[in-house]
Amino acid sequence: MFSKPFVASFEGHEDSVCSLERIRGRLGCIASAGFDGKIIIHSLSRRVTIQTIYGAHRGKISGLAMAQGDRILSAGHDTSIKLWALSLPNTDDGDDAENTISDNTRQDLMAVDEPPEREPSKPIVVYPGKTPFNSIHHHRYEPLFATASNGVHVWDETKTAPITDLTFGGASETVDVVRFNMAEASVLASVGSDRTMCLYDIRTGKAEKRIVMQMRSNALSWSPTQPTVMLLASEDHNLYTFDIRNLSTPSQIYKGHVSAVTSCDWSPTGTEFVSGGWDRTVRIWHEGDGRGKEGQMYHGKRMQRVLSTLYTQDARFVLSASDDGNVRLWKSNAHERLGVLDTRERNALEYRDALKKRWKYDNEIGKVLRSRPTPKSIKSAARLKRTMEDAAKEKEDRRRKHSRLGETNPKAERKKLVIAVND
């Protein structure tokens, strides 16, 4: 109840931050990009900026993806993809011969409100495109990456033109997000503005399956422990988990947001996931807990609409990028103590957690565990949403009551979501 999940805030962007990416092999490093055309590499442990790539793109950078080695791909609305070399320290602490500066100098640099203007950095390779790119994701093992624009295209790092066009036949809308499967790396999925979710296989070079939903999805994420499970963040304020072996109905619906959900990401453990939405909140969900009763809800007075969320590689922290130009670091477990714990303290904390788990079904104790400090605006929006849902349910009951017997049978909410499945 009295936990403080907020850890730190990373500044440096002059506009909205819309993309976050983990640095492969670096536990304490992440990359961020936004509408200001700048890429910043942050050190989470020392809370400083490791590297800044000025003028990476003209306008919005819509996606980041780690390539093989210490290189990163960026895709922008300027119809180009660029491959950059990263100057990373030898350790996560930031101690490197090239980047080592004294503490006094670092404090002086951090005290400057606006960094001096610098010349744009030069990329290793530039991949020209014909339309603005909305998303990019790299293959886990091979030097391939996929992009989403007016279609889904697969690129080779050694070639400046796409090698495969995976666009579903008859699809003419914009593709918003594309993601490779983490276990079966040749399978990828995409969501588009035409309310569809498509599955592709780069081995066959074609789309395998497509579903049409009631409302469009804004983000998707593959489960790291269950290769057939994917998570969708929808415009209807909900999140859905699907098993690709049966796409006719979602396996679970997660309700809690009061506005459109814009981002989602699985924990490396596969037991939790984080989501961010237009309601300016970050929520952590336990798999299978559709109502989020045991999850966490993070918010701040200055935090605006959340555009991207990300788990760290050790699953201890959560990152959020919002419309106010800040990247915020939160604890994935709000009441977890940071720092080194001796054996006695660790045993005491484990004993308290065991007590809470044992007595969580008690009315009074469960009420304390489920209590969440909620902003007044979220409460008002949730109250209005419940009123609208109750009115729609009552209208459906009245229509069924005044119809012929068997003409309008009640339909489960899960079965209403998917309109069509195309093979």
Side-chain angles (χ1 to χ4, degrees):
M1 179 184 295
F2 303 107
S3 58
K4 296 181 180 180
F6 179 74
V7 179
S9 176
F10 300 91
E11 301 178 353
H13 289 280
E14 287 83 22
D15 208 335
S16 304
V17 185
C18 58
S19 182
L20 296 173
E21 178 69 11
R22 287 181 285 262
I23 304 299
R24 187 181 295 116
R26 307 282 178 156
L27 184 61
C29 296
I30 61 105
S32 65
F35 284 74
D36 55 0
K38 186 192 301 182
I39 301 175
I40 301 179
I41 312 299
H42 305 276
S43 173
L44 303 183
S45 57
R46 305 196 66 171
R47 304 176 190 176
V48 296
T49 299
I50 298 176
Q51 182 183 359
T52 302
I53 302 176
Y54 294 91
H57 289 267
R58 295 191 306 272
K60 177 185 176 182
I61 299 177
S62 53
L64 296 173
M66 280 299 298
Q68 295 177 347
D70 290 340
R71 301 181 302 169
I72 191 168
L73 286 160
S74 64
H77 277 197
D78 58 355
T79 69
S80 67
I81 305 168
K82 298 181 181 180
L83 180 64
W84 306 90
L86 299 181
S87 301
L88 299 176
N90 294 328
T91 62
D92 288 335
D93 293 334
D95 296 332
D96 188 21
E98 298 180 359
N99 299 323
T100 301
I101 57 176
S102 64
D103 294 338
N104 295 332
T105 307
R106 181 177 288 110
Q107 293 176 2
D108 294 340
L109 293 175
M110 294 175 63
V112 179
D113 295 334
E114 297 183 1
E117 294 293 335
R118 300 188 183 182
E119 296 182 359
S121 304
K122 293 184 179 180
I124 302 174
V125 185
V126 177
Y127 306 92
K130 297 180 180 179
T131 56
F133 295 100
N134 299 319
S135 178
I136 185 171
H137 200 238
H138 198 277
H139 195 279
R140 189 171 185 180
Y141 307 109
E142 300 178 7
L144 303 174
F145 61 92
T147 59
S149 54
N150 60 345
V152 177
H153 302 90
V154 178
W155 303 64
D156 193 318
E157 289 185 10
T158 60
K159 300 178 181 179
T160 58
I163 59 175
T164 309
D165 184 359
L166 299 176
T167 306
F168 196 91
S172 59
E173 296 294 330
T174 303
V175 181
D176 295 327
V177 182
V178 62
R179 290 289 183 271
F180 278 101
N181 193 312
M182 300 182 67
E184 191 64 39
S186 59
V187 176
L188 69 153
S190 70
V191 293
S193 59
D194 55 351
R195 301 175 297 153
T196 60
M197 189 281 296
C198 300
L199 291 175
Y200 311 89
D201 195 331
I202 62 175
R203 293 169 296 189
T204 60
K206 62 179 183 179
E208 299 294 335
K209 190 170 292 188
R210 180 177 72 167
I211 63 172
V212 182
M213 305 175 66
Q214 289 282 356
M215 298 191 72
R216 63 178 288 182
S217 299
N218 295 319
L220 70 89
S221 179
W222 290 97
S223 172
T225 57
Q226 304 179 64
T228 60
V229 176
M230 70 163 55
L231 174 68
L232 296 181
S234 179
E235 195 79 14
D236 61 359
H237 311 176
N238 299 333
L239 294 106
Y240 304 95
T241 51
F242 279 89
D243 193 317
I244 61 176
R245 296 169 293 185
N246 180 21
L247 291 173
S248 58
T249 56
S251 57
Q252 183 69 49
I253 302 177
Y254 298 87
K255 297 183 177 182
H257 283 280
V258 295
S259 189
V261 188
T262 56
S263 63
C264 60
D265 185 56
W266 281 94
S267 165
T269 60
T271 58
E272 298 178 342
F273 58 88
V274 61
S275 65
W278 216 248
D279 55 2
R280 300 179 294 176
T281 62
V282 176
R283 298 173 188 254
I284 296 178
W285 309 79
H286 294 271
E287 186 189 13
D289 183 18
R291 289 288 179 178
K293 294 181 180 179
E294 298 183 5
Q296 306 286 343
M297 181 178 67
Y298 301 153
H299 55 85
K301 291 183 178 180
R302 299 182 181 180
M303 186 168 70
Q304 299 301 314
R305 295 168 292 195
V306 180
L307 302 180
S308 181
T309 51
L310 190 73
Y311 258 98
T312 56
Q313 298 182 45
D314 58 356
R316 293 186 59 197
F317 299 96
V318 166
L319 290 150
S320 66
S322 55
D323 218 4
D324 56 3
N326 284 334
V327 177
R328 291 177 172 85
L329 182 66
W330 312 82
K331 291 185 287 186
S332 60
N333 190 1
H335 62 271
E336 180 184 3
R337 289 185 59 184
L338 299 179
V340 180
L341 300 177
D342 58 20
T343 305
R344 186 175 181 181
E345 289 178 316
R346 190 181 302 107
N347 292 339
L349 291 175
E350 292 176 355
Y351 176 70
R352 293 169 192 169
D353 291 338
L355 285 179
K356 288 187 288 186
K357 186 176 180 180
R358 178 180 180 181
W359 296 98
K360 67 179 181 180
Y361 295 108
D362 182 82
N363 291 333
E364 296 299 326
I365 297 177
K367 184 178 179 181
V368 174
L369 293 177
R370 292 190 300 269
S371 62
R372 298 288 181 268
T374 307
K376 187 180 295 185
S377 60
I378 302 297
K379 287 185 178 180
S380 302
R383 192 181 307 113
L384 178 61
K385 184 179 177 181
R386 284 194 299 268
T387 303
M388 296 172 64
E389 290 176 347
D390 294 342
K393 184 179 180 180
E394 184 177 357
K395 183 178 181 180
E396 186 177 355
D397 292 341
R398 289 179 177 177
R399 183 184 291 111
R400 190 182 305 113
K401 182 178 180 180
H402 293 84
S403 301
R404 293 181 181 180
L405 184 64
E407 183 177 347
T408 56
N409 294 324
K411 196 173 184 180
E413 186 175 358
R414 295 185 184 183
K415 297 184 178 180
K416 296 179 183 178
L417 180 66
V418 179
I419 299 176
V421 179
N422 303 322
D423 294 326

